[in-house]
Amino acid sequence: MATRQSGSRPDDDIEERDDAVIGKAFWRSLALIVAVAVGGGLVAWRLGLKSPPPAPREAKLALPSGREKPKVVMPAMPFTDITAAAGIDFVHENGAAGEKLLPETMGGGCAFFDHDGDGDQDLLLVQGSRWPWDERETPQPAPTMKLYDNDGTGTFRDITAGSGLDVPFYGTGVAVGDFDADGRRDLFVSAVGPDRLFRTLGGVRFAVVTAVAGVAGDAG
C-alpha cells in the first residue's frame, strides 16, 4: 500500500498531473497546427502550379483526289501562210533597242475596211518607228503605215505612196468610221505622242484633220 510522504499535500499531486496533461495536449495541438499549416501550404503550392500545355499533334489531312482530265482531241488547223503570195510585204518597226519599253511589246494594229467602196475588204497595217534618241542609222525611206488594195481575189497591192498615209510616226492602233457623215470611211490612228485623224477625200487620198477636229490627245 502506497504511503504518502510526509509533508506533501493531495492538491499538489493533482496539480502536477494536470500540468503534465496540459503540456502533452499543448504539444500535440502545436504539432497538429504545424502539420495542417505545412500540408495546406503544400496543397496551395501544388494547386498554383500550371500544368504544361499538351504537346502539339500534327493533324493528318486527307489530300483531295484529282479528277482525271478528259482526253481532248484538238482539231486540225488547216492554215497556210500566204502573206507573200497575197502581195503583203509589211515589216513592223517597234523601235526596240534593248530598253524593253512598253510600246515595243504592243504591236501596231490593223484594219480591214473597204477604202474605195468597191465591195472588197482592203487592208491597213499601222507602223511604229525608231525612238528619237536612237543612235542607229534610220532606215530610208522612214517606215510608214501601209495601205493594201484588194483586187477581189485575195491579192493585195501597196497603194500607200501619195495617199497621205505615208507619214512616219509611232502608231499603236487604228479605228475606222465615218466621222463627218459623208459616206466615206475615215481613219483614227492612236500613237505614242499626238494621235492622227485621217479624213478620206475619195479614191486613194487621205488628209490629216487632227488639229481641226481637236482629237490629237496628249502630245507627250
Side-chain angles (χ1 to χ4, degrees), residues 88 110-113 121-125 146-149 156:
I88 300 172
C110 65
F112 275 104
F113 73 111
Q121 292 298 302
D122 307 302
L123 177 62
L124 177 73
L125 297 173
K146 289 289 183 118
L147 178 62
Y148 291 93
D149 181 68
F156 294 85

Side-chain angles (χ1 to χ4, degrees), residues 103-169:
E104 299 170 359
T105 69
M106 297 170 60
C110 65
F112 275 104
F113 73 111
D114 185 6
H115 83 90
D116 52 4
D118 63 357
D120 301 321
Q121 292 298 302
D122 307 302
L123 177 62
L124 177 73
L125 297 173
V126 179
Q127 184 62 282
S129 70
R130 298 280 178 87
W131 298 107
W133 57 85
D134 195 333
E135 296 180 355
R136 292 177 296 172
E137 183 179 356
T138 303
Q140 296 298 330
T144 69
M145 292 188 294
K146 289 289 183 118
L147 178 62
Y148 291 93
D149 181 68
N150 188 351
D151 67 359
T153 66
T155 301
F156 294 85
R157 179 173 58 93
D158 184 356
I159 57 172
T160 312
S163 66
L165 300 176
D166 50 348
V167 289
F169 64 96

Side-chain angles (χ1 to χ4, degrees), residues 174-200:
V174 60
V176 180
D178 181 10
F179 84 94
D180 54 0
D182 63 355
R184 295 190 290 256
R185 293 168 179 80
D186 309 300
L187 303 172
F188 178 81
V189 182
S190 58
V192 176
D195 300 322
R196 306 292 201 285
L197 177 62
F198 295 90
R199 179 186 180 190
T200 304

Side-chain angles (χ1 to χ4, degrees), residues 4-26:
R4 182 180 301 162
Q5 296 180 359
S6 60
S8 62
R9 295 182 300 170
D11 293 341
D12 294 336
D13 294 338
I14 294 172
E15 289 178 0
E16 289 179 0
R17 288 196 299 269
D18 291 344
D19 291 341
V21 171
I22 292 172
K24 290 180 180 180
F26 170 77

